[in-house]
Amino acid sequence: MSYTALSRDKLRGLGANLFIYSIMGFVFIISVFPVIWVIMSAFKENSAILGNPFSLPKGFDFNPFIQVFTQYNFGLYTMNSLVIASAATIVSLLIYSMGAYSIAKFEFPGKTMLYLLFTLTLLVPPHTKAQPIFTLVNRLGFSDTRFGLIFVYISFGMAITMFIMRITFMAIPRSLNEAAFMEGAGFWQVFWSINLPLAKTGLATSGIMMFLANWNEYFYALLLTSSPKVRTLPLALAFFTEAFSYDYTQMFAALTIVILPGIIMYILTQEQVQASVASSGVKG
Amino acid sequence: MTLNKLERKYVPFAYMFLIPTVAVFLLFYLVPIVTVFFTSFTRWDGFNAPTFNGITNYLRFFTQSSFLISLRNLLLWSLIAATLHVGFGVLVAFILYQRPKGWKAIRAVYMIPNIISSAAMAMIFRFMFNNDFGVLNGVIRLVNPSFQVNWFFESPWAFIAITLTWLFYGAIITLIVLGDLMNIPSYLHDAAKIDGATGLQAIVHIELPLCRYAIGTSIILSITSRIAMYEAIALTTRGGPGDDTMNIPIILMKAITDLNYGLANAAAVFMFVMGIVTLLVINRLFKMNDPVY
């Protein structure tokens, strides 16, 4: 009796493991394969791309990449993307952390209403505000500048950062605030030196999400800039594919240039996120 | 939540901390939305001053043939998003929460498709679903060598192809739910174990209810993404074949390029209303205003 029960348990465990690892395998393939396929195709000749989607590249010919960089100034575009995305992310992290902190830690009239309004912004598809924002940026004289894009991108992460940071601050025990205020710490000090360091995980998560959204933004970059000197990478990719719609090798090379920095940056910061999860003082 | 006396003293500072967020909200959300709302009742080409024309834009918007198809697509996509898409993201979260070997790597890797810009992702899918050199048909032809489908350009495959560009990419859902799962106090697990709960019972009675906020949030996020889906369609099917994959942002953008700002803003108002309805319904269904603990 006990022997059969044991083997049934074992069998069930085996089945559960099989299920778990096939889902994990599926997630791995759908997440990694498209990227590897794009990079691999950038090293294949046009005829090889058209011949067999699974064929391996014969060698590593970097000429398509060099051509994309030299003919299309992708170095400058990379720099533009980097500067614009970082500046907008840092400013919005500060602004929305302050807002989320007030909402998570204090009680005052209008609080629920404000939080509802801020999170409602998520329901405003960016495209719907195109015309008013275009007019606003023009009137302020920011059109076709990096600053104009930074200015607009600051507004994008509001809802998600509010979501994440409010939950993060709520998870920090309120007794910390009570004790700190009791000891005579100031409002800013309690926020900056006690709560923000404990909110590292939330800051990292929302910061990375905002940075990547800014890094990838296409529509407003197209709408608000015109000259190549302020052009960002996704926009450059679109211009490029229009010009080279039949040269698949170069197209895959351009795609690689656009997607790879984001992925590398993510992999680097991902380690930081995991480290901060491990080191942060707050865990359920 | 009740504040103690000392904390109450700091409420004015809490208001001050909200000023920058409120300023961004006014400048980039409230004023533009009000503008969009009022000009949706006008004839406006962006050059001349808008002139009031009542509900003409709305009548034109609701009666054009592509609207009904867009609405059908939106409802279908929202249903798929709220069930299969969120379900898959939650399933992955619960699997990773068991901490199987390699769970950190999978959590990290799953975000990669979300890292790639939707414009670049649309191009990648256009290539992967290409009939001649795409990997999807390459795989299918291993089984059925005569298989020929031009996914983005044939009915009814185009609708399925667009759905496949997002269906299994639920990394944000997984992250949100996993975050909530990991915040569950360990004493709750200990208590459940002492009471003799099995793994499945713990999931159903403790873990699922405790991350209902995360699941509700995920459903809201995924439905609003369907309302706003643009690049994945504009850079692949452009709403075709016929009007098969038409959606409201495509109608809106066409109205903008036609310099019919009134009609575009009527479409925008409709999208906005759909979003609010989604938020209110899901918020109510998942009791998201009640405290979790």
Side-chain angles (χ1 to χ4, degrees), chain A residues 21 30 49 53 102 107 109 122-123 129 131 155 166 174 178 181 212 216 219 266 274, chain B residues 2 4 7 10 14-15 17 28-29 44 101 107-108 115 117 133 169 221 224 253 275:
Chain A
Y21 283 105
I30 61 165
I49 292 171
S102 284
E107 198 63 55
L122 190 75
L123 308 175
K129 304 173 297 166
Q131 180 273 323
S155 68
R166 176 173 164 271
R174 244 182 73 224
E178 287 165 13
F181 284 133
L212 291 166
N216 291 332
F219 181 78
Y266 163 71
Q274 290 182 357
Chain B
T2 46
N4 67 26
E7 284 176 300
Y10 285 100
Y15 274 118
F17 258 40
F28 289 101
Y29 292 94
W44 192 22
K101 244 183 213 132
R107 183 181 65 175
I115 300 321
S117 93
F133 63 87
Y169 293 105
L221 288 177
T224 48
M253 289 310 286

mmCIF file of all heavy atoms in Angstrom, chain A residues 21 30 49 53 102 107 109 122-123 129 131 155 166 174 178 181 212 216 219 266 274, chain B residues 2 4 7 10 14-15 17 28-29 44 101 107-108 115 117 133 169 221 224 253 275:
data_model
loop_
_atom_site.group_PDB
_atom_site.id
_atom_site.type_symbol
_atom_site.label_atom_id
_atom_site.label_comp_id
_atom_site.label_asym_id
_atom_site.label_seq_id
_atom_site.Cartn_x
_atom_site.Cartn_y
_atom_site.Cartn_z
ATOM 1 N N TYR A 21 8.764 22.281 -16.843
ATOM 2 C CA TYR A 21 9.901 22.538 -17.725
ATOM 3 C C TYR A 21 9.504 22.705 -19.183
ATOM 4 O O TYR A 21 10.203 23.393 -19.925
ATOM 5 C CB TYR A 21 10.977 21.469 -17.529
ATOM 6 C CG TYR A 21 11.750 21.720 -16.252
ATOM 7 C CD1 TYR A 21 11.550 20.953 -15.109
ATOM 8 C CD2 TYR A 21 12.627 22.806 -16.167
ATOM 9 C CE1 TYR A 21 12.221 21.225 -13.925
ATOM 10 C CE2 TYR A 21 13.299 23.094 -14.989
ATOM 11 C CZ TYR A 21 13.092 22.293 -13.872
ATOM 12 O OH TYR A 21 13.746 22.596 -12.709
ATOM 13 N N ILE A 30 10.302 31.232 -27.343
ATOM 14 C CA ILE A 30 9.619 32.384 -27.944
ATOM 15 C C ILE A 30 10.295 33.700 -27.584
ATOM 16 O O ILE A 30 10.126 34.698 -28.270
ATOM 17 C CB ILE A 30 8.113 32.459 -27.570
ATOM 18 C CG1 ILE A 30 7.935 32.599 -26.060
ATOM 19 C CG2 ILE A 30 7.354 31.254 -28.106
ATOM 20 C CD1 ILE A 30 6.541 33.046 -25.669
ATOM 21 N N ILE A 49 19.436 33.920 -46.910
ATOM 22 C CA ILE A 49 18.234 34.269 -46.139
ATOM 23 C C ILE A 49 16.993 33.757 -46.855
ATOM 24 O O ILE A 49 16.101 33.163 -46.249
ATOM 25 C CB ILE A 49 18.143 35.804 -45.951
ATOM 26 C CG1 ILE A 49 19.265 36.287 -45.032
ATOM 27 C CG2 ILE A 49 16.795 36.200 -45.373
ATOM 28 C CD1 ILE A 49 19.387 37.790 -44.949
ATOM 29 N N PRO A 53 15.455 29.417 -43.898
ATOM 30 C CA PRO A 53 15.442 30.267 -42.706
ATOM 31 C C PRO A 53 16.325 29.745 -41.577
ATOM 32 O O PRO A 53 16.727 30.510 -40.704
ATOM 33 C CB PRO A 53 13.965 30.260 -42.290
ATOM 34 C CG PRO A 53 13.367 29.066 -42.943
ATOM 35 C CD PRO A 53 14.137 28.865 -44.204
ATOM 36 N N SER A 102 3.681 60.147 -1.270
ATOM 37 C CA SER A 102 2.624 60.884 -0.572
ATOM 38 C C SER A 102 1.345 60.052 -0.515
ATOM 39 O O SER A 102 0.691 59.975 0.519
ATOM 40 C CB SER A 102 2.326 62.203 -1.295
ATOM 41 O OG SER A 102 3.343 63.122 -1.025
ATOM 42 N N GLU A 107 -2.585 60.371 4.533
ATOM 43 C CA GLU A 107 -4.038 60.394 4.391
ATOM 44 C C GLU A 107 -4.452 61.840 4.255
ATOM 45 O O GLU A 107 -4.137 62.659 5.115
ATOM 46 C CB GLU A 107 -4.660 59.776 5.646
ATOM 47 C CG GLU A 107 -6.092 59.335 5.483
ATOM 48 C CD GLU A 107 -6.248 58.249 4.452
ATOM 49 O OE1 GLU A 107 -5.578 57.205 4.556
ATOM 50 O OE2 GLU A 107 -7.043 58.468 3.519
ATOM 51 N N PRO A 109 -7.507 64.693 2.050
ATOM 52 C CA PRO A 109 -8.645 64.784 1.131
ATOM 53 C C PRO A 109 -8.160 64.812 -0.323
ATOM 54 O O PRO A 109 -7.145 65.436 -0.631
ATOM 55 C CB PRO A 109 -9.298 66.122 1.495
ATOM 56 C CG PRO A 109 -8.747 66.495 2.823
ATOM 57 C CD PRO A 109 -7.426 65.821 2.974
ATOM 58 N N LEU A 122 -3.034 55.772 -17.874
ATOM 59 C CA LEU A 122 -2.646 54.567 -18.594
ATOM 60 C C LEU A 122 -3.633 54.255 -19.719
ATOM 61 O O LEU A 122 -3.282 53.638 -20.718
ATOM 62 C CB LEU A 122 -2.611 53.386 -17.614
ATOM 63 C CG LEU A 122 -1.998 52.119 -18.166
ATOM 64 C CD1 LEU A 122 -0.501 52.280 -18.233
ATOM 65 C CD2 LEU A 122 -2.358 50.939 -17.300
ATOM 66 N N LEU A 123 -4.873 54.693 -19.504
ATOM 67 C CA LEU A 123 -5.918 54.376 -20.468
ATOM 68 C C LEU A 123 -5.936 55.370 -21.614
ATOM 69 O O LEU A 123 -6.750 55.274 -22.512
ATOM 70 C CB LEU A 123 -7.280 54.374 -19.772
ATOM 71 C CG LEU A 123 -7.344 53.503 -18.520
ATOM 72 C CD1 LEU A 123 -8.680 53.649 -17.841
ATOM 73 C CD2 LEU A 123 -7.084 52.056 -18.874
ATOM 74 N N LYS A 129 -3.387 61.824 -28.148
ATOM 75 C CA LYS A 129 -3.060 63.201 -27.752
ATOM 76 C C LYS A 129 -2.089 63.861 -28.726
ATOM 77 O O LYS A 129 -1.542 64.915 -28.434
ATOM 78 C CB LYS A 129 -2.439 63.219 -26.353
ATOM 79 C CG LYS A 129 -3.287 62.573 -25.297
ATOM 80 C CD LYS A 129 -2.493 62.497 -23.998
ATOM 81 C CE LYS A 129 -1.284 61.613 -24.194
ATOM 82 N NZ LYS A 129 -0.293 61.728 -23.121
ATOM 83 N N GLN A 131 -2.133 65.549 -31.548
ATOM 84 C CA GLN A 131 -2.281 66.914 -32.040
ATOM 85 C C GLN A 131 -2.093 67.947 -30.927
ATOM 86 O O GLN A 131 -1.294 68.881 -31.095
ATOM 87 C CB GLN A 131 -3.639 67.039 -32.752
ATOM 88 C CG GLN A 131 -3.931 68.394 -33.318
ATOM 89 C CD GLN A 131 -4.574 69.275 -32.279
ATOM 90 O OE1 GLN A 131 -5.386 68.824 -31.458
ATOM 91 N NE2 GLN A 131 -4.182 70.545 -32.272
ATOM 92 N N SER A 155 6.320 62.471 -19.393
ATOM 93 C CA SER A 155 4.910 62.239 -19.049
ATOM 94 C C SER A 155 4.494 60.782 -19.242
ATOM 95 O O SER A 155 3.452 60.379 -18.745
ATOM 96 C CB SER A 155 4.018 63.142 -19.909
ATOM 97 O OG SER A 155 4.072 62.734 -21.261
ATOM 98 N N ARG A 166 3.737 52.998 -5.644
ATOM 99 C CA ARG A 166 2.753 53.026 -4.552
ATOM 100 C C ARG A 166 2.770 51.677 -3.830
ATOM 101 O O ARG A 166 2.825 51.623 -2.599
ATOM 102 C CB ARG A 166 1.361 53.332 -5.091
ATOM 103 C CG ARG A 166 0.277 53.285 -4.021
ATOM 104 C CD ARG A 166 -1.057 53.759 -4.572
ATOM 105 N NE ARG A 166 -2.167 53.384 -3.702
ATOM 106 C CZ ARG A 166 -2.830 52.245 -3.803
ATOM 107 N NH1 ARG A 166 -2.475 51.355 -4.716
ATOM 108 N NH2 ARG A 166 -3.836 51.975 -2.996
ATOM 109 N N ARG A 174 4.997 51.061 8.035
ATOM 110 C CA ARG A 174 4.787 52.462 8.389
ATOM 111 C C ARG A 174 5.457 52.812 9.714
ATOM 112 O O ARG A 174 5.716 53.975 10.008
ATOM 113 C CB ARG A 174 3.291 52.777 8.439
ATOM 114 C CG ARG A 174 2.894 53.790 7.393
ATOM 115 C CD ARG A 174 1.432 54.117 7.503
ATOM 116 N NE ARG A 174 1.147 54.928 8.666
ATOM 117 C CZ ARG A 174 0.121 54.730 9.481
ATOM 118 N NH1 ARG A 174 -0.685 53.729 9.257
ATOM 119 N NH2 ARG A 174 -0.090 55.527 10.506
ATOM 120 N N GLU A 178 6.893 56.405 11.402
ATOM 121 C CA GLU A 178 6.478 56.896 12.724
ATOM 122 C C GLU A 178 7.696 57.106 13.616
ATOM 123 O O GLU A 178 7.838 58.140 14.254
ATOM 124 C CB GLU A 178 5.511 55.893 13.365
ATOM 125 C CG GLU A 178 4.137 55.907 12.722
ATOM 126 C CD GLU A 178 3.292 54.685 13.098
ATOM 127 O OE1 GLU A 178 3.676 53.974 14.035
ATOM 128 O OE2 GLU A 178 2.267 54.459 12.428
ATOM 129 N N PHE A 181 9.885 60.115 12.355
ATOM 130 C CA PHE A 181 9.291 61.414 12.681
ATOM 131 C C PHE A 181 9.423 61.696 14.179
ATOM 132 O O PHE A 181 9.693 62.812 14.589
ATOM 133 C CB PHE A 181 7.816 61.454 12.264
ATOM 134 C CG PHE A 181 7.623 61.609 10.787
ATOM 135 C CD1 PHE A 181 6.730 60.799 10.100
ATOM 136 C CD2 PHE A 181 8.327 62.567 10.069
ATOM 137 C CE1 PHE A 181 6.541 60.941 8.735
ATOM 138 C CE2 PHE A 181 8.144 62.721 8.694
ATOM 139 C CZ PHE A 181 7.253 61.890 8.029
ATOM 140 N N LEU A 212 13.361 51.835 -21.153
ATOM 141 C CA LEU A 212 13.200 51.073 -22.380
ATOM 142 C C LEU A 212 12.052 51.600 -23.224
ATOM 143 O O LEU A 212 12.146 51.630 -24.455
ATOM 144 C CB LEU A 212 13.006 49.595 -22.049
ATOM 145 C CG LEU A 212 14.291 48.972 -21.489
ATOM 146 C CD1 LEU A 212 14.013 47.637 -20.845
ATOM 147 C CD2 LEU A 212 15.338 48.835 -22.586
ATOM 148 N N ASN A 216 12.655 52.977 -26.979
ATOM 149 C CA ASN A 216 11.965 52.349 -28.110
ATOM 150 C C ASN A 216 10.932 53.247 -28.768
ATOM 151 O O ASN A 216 10.361 52.876 -29.774
ATOM 152 C CB ASN A 216 11.248 51.083 -27.631
ATOM 153 C CG ASN A 216 12.224 49.996 -27.257
ATOM 154 O OD1 ASN A 216 13.318 49.940 -27.794
ATOM 155 N ND2 ASN A 216 11.827 49.141 -26.333
ATOM 156 N N PHE A 219 6.578 56.835 -32.281
ATOM 157 C CA PHE A 219 5.554 57.718 -32.821
ATOM 158 C C PHE A 219 5.854 59.206 -32.574
ATOM 159 O O PHE A 219 5.856 60.010 -33.502
ATOM 160 C CB PHE A 219 4.202 57.343 -32.211
ATOM 161 C CG PHE A 219 3.073 58.169 -32.709
ATOM 162 C CD1 PHE A 219 2.504 57.936 -33.949
ATOM 163 C CD2 PHE A 219 2.564 59.204 -31.936
ATOM 164 C CE1 PHE A 219 1.464 58.698 -34.414
ATOM 165 C CE2 PHE A 219 1.517 59.976 -32.390
ATOM 166 C CZ PHE A 219 0.966 59.720 -33.632
ATOM 167 N N TYR A 266 19.473 45.853 -20.784
ATOM 168 C CA TYR A 266 18.539 45.149 -19.910
ATOM 169 C C TYR A 266 19.249 44.034 -19.144
ATOM 170 O O TYR A 266 19.059 43.887 -17.941
ATOM 171 C CB TYR A 266 17.369 44.580 -20.718
ATOM 172 C CG TYR A 266 16.617 43.533 -19.945
ATOM 173 C CD1 TYR A 266 15.831 43.892 -18.858
ATOM 174 C CD2 TYR A 266 16.722 42.181 -20.266
ATOM 175 C CE1 TYR A 266 15.173 42.936 -18.123
ATOM 176 C CE2 TYR A 266 16.059 41.221 -19.544
ATOM 177 C CZ TYR A 266 15.277 41.605 -18.468
ATOM 178 O OH TYR A 266 14.641 40.662 -17.736
ATOM 179 N N GLN A 274 18.191 42.083 -9.557
ATOM 180 C CA GLN A 274 18.196 40.889 -8.709
ATOM 181 C C GLN A 274 19.029 41.108 -7.449
ATOM 182 O O GLN A 274 18.650 40.680 -6.361
ATOM 183 C CB GLN A 274 18.698 39.686 -9.502
ATOM 184 C CG GLN A 274 17.676 39.271 -10.546
ATOM 185 C CD GLN A 274 18.079 38.057 -11.331
ATOM 186 O OE1 GLN A 274 19.159 37.518 -11.149
ATOM 187 N NE2 GLN A 274 17.192 37.638 -12.215
ATOM 188 N N THR B 2 -5.005 55.156 9.434
ATOM 189 C CA THR B 2 -5.094 56.392 10.219
ATOM 190 C C THR B 2 -3.681 56.858 10.567
ATOM 191 O O THR B 2 -2.813 56.063 10.920
ATOM 192 C CB THR B 2 -5.891 56.182 11.521
ATOM 193 O OG1 THR B 2 -5.428 54.981 12.113
ATOM 194 C CG2 THR B 2 -7.375 56.095 11.258
ATOM 195 N N ASN B 4 -0.896 59.029 12.756
ATOM 196 C CA ASN B 4 -0.759 59.564 14.103
ATOM 197 C C ASN B 4 -0.554 61.078 14.021
ATOM 198 O O ASN B 4 -0.454 61.661 12.945
ATOM 199 C CB ASN B 4 0.357 58.843 14.870
ATOM 200 C CG ASN B 4 1.734 59.117 14.284
ATOM 201 O OD1 ASN B 4 1.938 60.156 13.662
ATOM 202 N ND2 ASN B 4 2.657 58.197 14.470
ATOM 203 N N GLU B 7 2.473 62.404 12.045
ATOM 204 C CA GLU B 7 2.354 62.239 10.599
ATOM 205 C C GLU B 7 1.381 63.248 10.010
ATOM 206 O O GLU B 7 1.581 63.746 8.907
ATOM 207 C CB GLU B 7 1.895 60.810 10.283
ATOM 208 C CG GLU B 7 3.009 59.791 10.421
ATOM 209 C CD GLU B 7 2.503 58.388 10.187
ATOM 210 O OE1 GLU B 7 1.614 57.943 10.924
ATOM 211 O OE2 GLU B 7 2.989 57.750 9.256
ATOM 212 N N TYR B 10 2.628 66.439 8.785
ATOM 213 C CA TYR B 10 3.399 66.488 7.542
ATOM 214 C C TYR B 10 2.539 66.437 6.286
ATOM 215 O O TYR B 10 3.067 66.402 5.177
ATOM 216 C CB TYR B 10 4.417 65.342 7.531
ATOM 217 C CG TYR B 10 5.587 65.599 8.449
ATOM 218 C CD1 TYR B 10 5.659 65.018 9.708
ATOM 219 C CD2 TYR B 10 6.604 66.475 8.048
ATOM 220 C CE1 TYR B 10 6.715 65.271 10.553
ATOM 221 C CE2 TYR B 10 7.661 66.737 8.885
ATOM 222 C CZ TYR B 10 7.719 66.137 10.133
ATOM 223 O OH TYR B 10 8.772 66.405 10.959
ATOM 224 N N ALA B 14 3.140 66.447 2.054
ATOM 225 C CA ALA B 14 2.672 65.411 1.125
ATOM 226 C C ALA B 14 2.024 66.066 -0.094
ATOM 227 O O ALA B 14 2.248 65.650 -1.230
ATOM 228 C CB ALA B 14 1.688 64.472 1.823
ATOM 229 N N TYR B 15 1.245 67.119 0.139
ATOM 230 C CA TYR B 15 0.647 67.854 -0.980
ATOM 231 C C TYR B 15 1.737 68.438 -1.875
ATOM 232 O O TYR B 15 1.665 68.376 -3.102
ATOM 233 C CB TYR B 15 -0.254 68.977 -0.464
ATOM 234 C CG TYR B 15 -1.670 68.553 -0.144
ATOM 235 C CD1 TYR B 15 -2.186 68.648 1.140
ATOM 236 C CD2 TYR B 15 -2.505 68.067 -1.142
ATOM 237 C CE1 TYR B 15 -3.479 68.263 1.434
ATOM 238 C CE2 TYR B 15 -3.800 67.680 -0.874
ATOM 239 C CZ TYR B 15 -4.284 67.778 0.422
ATOM 240 O OH TYR B 15 -5.570 67.402 0.687
ATOM 241 N N PHE B 17 4.703 67.394 -2.351
ATOM 242 C CA PHE B 17 5.348 66.320 -3.116
ATOM 243 C C PHE B 17 4.541 65.928 -4.348
ATOM 244 O O PHE B 17 5.073 65.336 -5.278
ATOM 245 C CB PHE B 17 5.526 65.085 -2.215
ATOM 246 C CG PHE B 17 6.922 64.921 -1.706
ATOM 247 C CD1 PHE B 17 7.657 66.021 -1.309
ATOM 248 C CD2 PHE B 17 7.511 63.661 -1.636
ATOM 249 C CE1 PHE B 17 8.954 65.878 -0.843
ATOM 250 C CE2 PHE B 17 8.801 63.509 -1.175
ATOM 251 C CZ PHE B 17 9.530 64.612 -0.774
ATOM 252 N N PHE B 28 0.124 67.339 -19.802
ATOM 253 C CA PHE B 28 0.216 66.287 -20.816
ATOM 254 C C PHE B 28 -1.000 65.373 -20.883
ATOM 255 O O PHE B 28 -1.086 64.534 -21.763
ATOM 256 C CB PHE B 28 1.461 65.427 -20.572
ATOM 257 C CG PHE B 28 2.720 66.145 -20.890
ATOM 258 C CD1 PHE B 28 3.497 66.693 -19.871
ATOM 259 C CD2 PHE B 28 3.132 66.304 -22.207
ATOM 260 C CE1 PHE B 28 4.659 67.364 -20.169
ATOM 261 C CE2 PHE B 28 4.287 66.972 -22.505
ATOM 262 C CZ PHE B 28 5.067 67.510 -21.480
ATOM 263 N N TYR B 29 -1.901 65.500 -19.918
ATOM 264 C CA TYR B 29 -3.081 64.641 -19.973
ATOM 265 C C TYR B 29 -4.375 65.429 -19.977
ATOM 266 O O TYR B 29 -5.144 65.356 -20.927
ATOM 267 C CB TYR B 29 -3.057 63.628 -18.819
ATOM 268 C CG TYR B 29 -1.935 62.624 -18.995
ATOM 269 C CD1 TYR B 29 -0.691 62.820 -18.392
ATOM 270 C CD2 TYR B 29 -2.100 61.514 -19.812
ATOM 271 C CE1 TYR B 29 0.341 61.928 -18.586
ATOM 272 C CE2 TYR B 29 -1.071 60.606 -20.016
ATOM 273 C CZ TYR B 29 0.149 60.817 -19.390
ATOM 274 O OH TYR B 29 1.173 59.939 -19.598
ATOM 275 N N TRP B 44 -12.356 70.405 -38.256
ATOM 276 C CA TRP B 44 -11.053 71.012 -37.984
ATOM 277 C C TRP B 44 -9.991 70.355 -38.860
ATOM 278 O O TRP B 44 -9.845 69.131 -38.852
ATOM 279 C CB TRP B 44 -10.702 70.841 -36.499
ATOM 280 C CG TRP B 44 -9.532 71.652 -36.049
ATOM 281 C CD1 TRP B 44 -9.039 72.779 -36.633
ATOM 282 C CD2 TRP B 44 -8.708 71.399 -34.920
ATOM 283 N NE1 TRP B 44 -7.972 73.257 -35.935
ATOM 284 C CE2 TRP B 44 -7.733 72.423 -34.876
ATOM 285 C CE3 TRP B 44 -8.681 70.409 -33.929
ATOM 286 C CZ2 TRP B 44 -6.750 72.488 -33.897
ATOM 287 C CZ3 TRP B 44 -7.713 70.471 -32.952
ATOM 288 C CH2 TRP B 44 -6.755 71.497 -32.935
ATOM 289 N N LYS B 101 14.698 24.865 -11.158
ATOM 290 C CA LYS B 101 16.043 25.183 -11.653
ATOM 291 C C LYS B 101 15.943 26.121 -12.850
ATOM 292 O O LYS B 101 15.176 25.873 -13.762
ATOM 293 C CB LYS B 101 16.758 23.894 -12.065
ATOM 294 C CG LYS B 101 17.985 23.649 -11.198
ATOM 295 C CD LYS B 101 18.750 22.420 -11.639
ATOM 296 C CE LYS B 101 19.369 21.763 -10.437
ATOM 297 N NZ LYS B 101 19.142 20.325 -10.389
ATOM 298 N N ARG B 107 12.904 34.135 -15.955
ATOM 299 C CA ARG B 107 12.311 35.429 -15.618
ATOM 300 C C ARG B 107 13.027 36.549 -16.375
ATOM 301 O O ARG B 107 12.393 37.473 -16.886
ATOM 302 C CB ARG B 107 12.403 35.664 -14.104
ATOM 303 C CG ARG B 107 11.757 36.954 -13.650
ATOM 304 C CD ARG B 107 11.890 37.177 -12.163
ATOM 305 N NE ARG B 107 13.286 37.354 -11.759
ATOM 306 C CZ ARG B 107 13.655 37.666 -10.522
ATOM 307 N NH1 ARG B 107 12.757 37.830 -9.580
ATOM 308 N NH2 ARG B 107 14.923 37.804 -10.223
ATOM 309 N N ALA B 108 14.351 36.453 -16.445
ATOM 310 C CA ALA B 108 15.138 37.483 -17.130
ATOM 311 C C ALA B 108 14.879 37.458 -18.633
ATOM 312 O O ALA B 108 14.654 38.494 -19.257
ATOM 313 C CB ALA B 108 16.619 37.273 -16.844
ATOM 314 N N ILE B 115 11.483 44.288 -24.281
ATOM 315 C CA ILE B 115 12.573 45.262 -24.352
ATOM 316 C C ILE B 115 12.667 45.845 -25.756
ATOM 317 O O ILE B 115 13.075 46.976 -25.935
ATOM 318 C CB ILE B 115 13.920 44.545 -24.044
ATOM 319 C CG1 ILE B 115 13.929 43.916 -22.669
ATOM 320 C CG2 ILE B 115 15.099 45.458 -24.247
ATOM 321 C CD1 ILE B 115 13.294 44.678 -21.616
ATOM 322 N N SER B 117 11.619 47.437 -29.226
ATOM 323 C CA SER B 117 10.588 48.420 -29.559
ATOM 324 C C SER B 117 9.518 47.760 -30.405
ATOM 325 O O SER B 117 9.788 46.872 -31.217
ATOM 326 C CB SER B 117 11.199 49.609 -30.300
ATOM 327 O OG SER B 117 11.121 49.426 -31.691
ATOM 328 N N PHE B 133 10.649 33.035 -46.609
ATOM 329 C CA PHE B 133 11.834 32.754 -45.804
ATOM 330 C C PHE B 133 11.582 32.817 -44.298
ATOM 331 O O PHE B 133 12.512 32.806 -43.507
ATOM 332 C CB PHE B 133 12.986 33.699 -46.193
ATOM 333 C CG PHE B 133 12.710 35.153 -45.944
ATOM 334 C CD1 PHE B 133 12.976 35.724 -44.699
ATOM 335 C CD2 PHE B 133 12.192 35.966 -46.946
ATOM 336 C CE1 PHE B 133 12.725 37.059 -44.463
ATOM 337 C CE2 PHE B 133 11.938 37.302 -46.707
ATOM 338 C CZ PHE B 133 12.197 37.852 -45.471
ATOM 339 N N TYR B 169 3.369 36.805 -25.011
ATOM 340 C CA TYR B 169 4.366 37.713 -24.452
ATOM 341 C C TYR B 169 3.801 38.433 -23.231
ATOM 342 O O TYR B 169 3.457 39.606 -23.280
ATOM 343 C CB TYR B 169 4.848 38.678 -25.530
ATOM 344 C CG TYR B 169 5.623 37.930 -26.597
ATOM 345 C CD1 TYR B 169 5.076 37.671 -27.849
ATOM 346 C CD2 TYR B 169 6.897 37.448 -26.328
ATOM 347 C CE1 TYR B 169 5.787 36.953 -28.805
ATOM 348 C CE2 TYR B 169 7.601 36.729 -27.276
ATOM 349 C CZ TYR B 169 7.042 36.488 -28.505
ATOM 350 O OH TYR B 169 7.750 35.762 -29.441
ATOM 351 N N LEU B 221 -4.105 46.312 -17.854
ATOM 352 C CA LEU B 221 -2.980 46.650 -18.735
ATOM 353 C C LEU B 221 -3.116 45.973 -20.089
ATOM 354 O O LEU B 221 -2.884 46.585 -21.129
ATOM 355 C CB LEU B 221 -1.654 46.205 -18.093
ATOM 356 C CG LEU B 221 -1.152 46.992 -16.892
ATOM 357 C CD1 LEU B 221 0.117 46.368 -16.345
ATOM 358 C CD2 LEU B 221 -0.898 48.430 -17.293
ATOM 359 N N THR B 224 -6.070 47.475 -22.203
ATOM 360 C CA THR B 224 -5.771 48.809 -22.736
ATOM 361 C C THR B 224 -4.699 48.737 -23.820
ATOM 362 O O THR B 224 -4.702 49.540 -24.749
ATOM 363 C CB THR B 224 -5.326 49.779 -21.625
ATOM 364 O OG1 THR B 224 -4.328 49.143 -20.831
ATOM 365 C CG2 THR B 224 -6.479 50.169 -20.750
ATOM 366 N N MET B 253 -5.470 57.261 -37.056
ATOM 367 C CA MET B 253 -4.304 57.787 -37.763
ATOM 368 C C MET B 253 -4.646 58.153 -39.201
ATOM 369 O O MET B 253 -4.111 59.112 -39.752
ATOM 370 C CB MET B 253 -3.163 56.766 -37.735
ATOM 371 C CG MET B 253 -2.529 56.601 -36.380
ATOM 372 S SD MET B 253 -2.066 58.177 -35.620
ATOM 373 C CE MET B 253 -0.637 58.582 -36.608
ATOM 374 N N GLY B 275 -11.468 52.609 -22.471
ATOM 375 C CA GLY B 275 -10.470 52.403 -21.425
ATOM 376 C C GLY B 275 -11.055 52.590 -20.036
ATOM 377 O O GLY B 275 -10.832 51.779 -19.144
#
